[in-house]
Amino acid sequence: MNGRTGGGIWSIPFVGGALGVLGVLGGALYWLGNRSSTRSKTHDSAREVLQNRYERGEIDEEEYRRRRKRLDATDEVE
């Protein structure tokens, strides 16, 4: 043979497989944890952008109220 000690519980294929499983499991948990929070962060961000644009004078009050009403309507749907 080639003189290497074969097998054992800590062989390269076992360690590589275990790391792969941990990576997939960690990725799945990360995705599940951030899945529901993304929508609310985006929605809050839209409100902040709208408020900032109104404060800078980029949109007038009528446009601000129209867009704010549309954002509020999406809150009721969710």
Side-chain angles (χ1 to χ4, degrees):
M1 295 289 202
N2 59 10
R4 295 184 188 175
T5 57
I9 194 165
W10 296 108
S11 65
I12 301 256
F14 175 78
V15 172
L19 289 175
V21 168
L22 286 175
V24 169
L25 182 61
L29 290 174
Y30 178 79
W31 178 73
L32 286 172
N34 289 329
R35 192 169 51 130
S36 62
S37 63
T38 303
R39 175 174 276 176
S40 62
K41 285 181 183 177
T42 303
H43 193 71
D44 291 341
S45 177
R47 289 183 187 277
E48 291 173 14
V49 168
L50 179 62
Q51 182 69 31
N52 289 337
R53 290 186 68 197
Y54 175 66
E55 289 173 357
R56 286 192 305 256
E58 293 179 18
I59 57 175
D60 61 0
E61 187 171 349
E62 182 180 334
E63 182 68 15
Y64 171 77
R65 288 181 188 210
R66 185 179 66 79
R67 292 182 184 189
R68 181 65 190 247
K69 185 177 180 181
R70 189 169 30 178
L71 283 174
D72 291 340
T74 59
D75 276 345
E76 293 172 4
V77 172
E78 293 174 9

